[in-house]
Amino acid sequence: FVFLLLGGALALFAPGGIIYFLIPPAIVLLGVAAARRYPPAEEIGAVAAAVFLFLSWSELLGGLEELFSPGPLWIVAPVAAIVIAPLLIEAQRLFARAQRRLLLIGSALIALLGWIVVAVTPAYSQDHQQRFTIEHVTDFASRRSNWSVANDGARLPHSYEKWGPWRRGKLHFSERQRWLAPASPVPGLRPPSVEVLEIIRNGNEQRVRLRLKSNGAERIMLLASNRAHIRSVGVAGFMRPIGDDDSSGKFTITCTGRSCDGAELAIDMYSADPITFTIVGARNGLPPGAAPLVGARPPFARPQYIPDETIAVSYVNL
């Protein structure tokens, strides 16, 4: 009791920050202590602690909802349950004395009020903008081009239908669901490539030395399947370990900037089998044909994390 009481006082008055999670229990304990002389004080303390808990943690929960907006959205529900658990503990006596019907009706009204607020509030605003990244993607192996719109899954503007049919799907090099529609190829676009300088195999291991050729790309990604078992990657004088002989899953190696063109890369793998690498080159901006798509982007939408870009994809067997 004394420890929590002192902790609550420290949380209120300590310089350099407030320890929010200690304040509601401190309020409850003050109510318990005052109840010896004034019996309603415990209920008052429970209500005050519940209000403070909501004021201090609801903003955090809202931030978590923003964080999980790309998915999975269901994770917000158990997080909210964890946040509300201290309230149920601290206000246990208050809830225990209330009638079951009153609790159910009150909970239903609170939920209904929340649904009404959500229903009448616009999904997007100046302060809550939709992620809406437009890409032109060309796979030079299949000789197919697509428009890609990466957003939160919301339906596209009606004016986009003239470029349709749009479908939800994934690109070979990304696990993110997006909207895809056929597109015309970009004249003069070239995919990035690699020049194999050296392949050294030793038992079940191999080292591959490559020279990157960006061909106009500003970012280059090399993607390998889980069969690669990449142990380390780097350039001359610097090798970064990223796994061991038990490492698995897909591997992604990224290089950004003008210095990537001509850079020599060394890759150590716990595998002597031939590996197919996907080479993804991205450059900022879109071809002129994308102007109507950009112009029809919703007013409260913008690219996030990555800009609108033109992507070229190729493959190499090592």
Side-chain angles (χ1 to χ4, degrees), residues 238-277:
F238 177 79
M239 292 293 293
R240 179 178 179 181
I242 61 173
D244 53 32
D245 54 356
D246 293 326
S247 61
S248 60
K250 295 183 178 180
F251 297 89
T252 302
I253 305 167
T254 304
C255 185
T256 302
R258 290 178 295 178
S259 60
C260 296
D261 191 27
E264 294 186 8
L265 192 68
I267 306 174
D268 291 337
M269 295 179 283
Y270 281 113
S271 173
D273 299 330
I275 302 296
T276 299
F277 279 77

Side-chain angles (χ1 to χ4, degrees), residues 108-305:
L109 289 176
I110 293 173
L112 179 61
L113 178 62
W115 291 335
I116 292 175
V117 171
V118 172
V120 300
T121 301
Y124 309 108
S125 65
Q126 183 65 39
D127 298 325
H128 182 206
Q129 300 208 8
Q130 178 190 16
R131 180 187 182 185
F132 202 100
T133 303
I134 304 172
E135 299 168 323
H136 184 281
V137 184
T138 300
D139 188 315
F140 280 79
S142 63
R143 299 185 180 277
R144 292 181 179 177
S145 298
N146 287 283
W147 294 114
S148 165
V149 175
N151 65 357
D152 58 3
R155 295 185 63 85
L156 299 177
H158 291 297
S159 57
Y160 274 50
E161 293 178 358
K162 65 180 67 175
W163 283 274
W166 293 86
R167 62 178 179 84
R168 294 287 289 173
K170 297 180 181 179
L171 296 172
H172 173 69
F173 57 86
S174 174
E175 293 298 320
R176 177 177 290 277
Q177 289 279 346
R178 61 190 70 213
W179 292 102
L180 298 170
S184 300
V186 177
L189 181 66
R190 294 191 300 160
S193 61
V194 298
E195 177 186 353
V196 180
L197 301 178
E198 184 180 41
I199 298 179
I200 302 175
R201 290 187 172 90
N202 182 15
N204 292 327
E205 301 179 12
Q206 65 175 320
R207 165 169 285 196
V208 178
R209 289 180 55 243
L210 307 171
R211 178 178 289 118
L212 302 179
K213 296 183 178 182
S214 62
N215 291 334
E218 297 167 310
R219 290 172 297 281
I220 303 175
M221 289 192 302
L222 299 179
L223 295 92
S225 68
N226 55 357
R227 293 176 50 247
H229 298 290
I230 295 179
R231 180 180 62 183
S232 58
V233 179
V235 296
F238 177 79
M239 292 293 293
R240 179 178 179 181
I242 61 173
D244 53 32
D245 54 356
D246 293 326
S247 61
S248 60
K250 295 183 178 180
F251 297 89
T252 302
I253 305 167
T254 304
C255 185
T256 302
R258 290 178 295 178
S259 60
C260 296
D261 191 27
E264 294 186 8
L265 192 68
I267 306 174
D268 291 337
M269 295 179 283
Y270 281 113
S271 173
D273 299 330
I275 302 296
T276 299
F277 279 77
T278 302
I279 312 173
V280 182
R283 62 187 74 191
N284 295 342
L286 293 164
L293 288 172
V294 176
R297 182 160 28 207
F300 296 122
R302 63 175 59 188
Q304 296 179 17
Y305 305 113

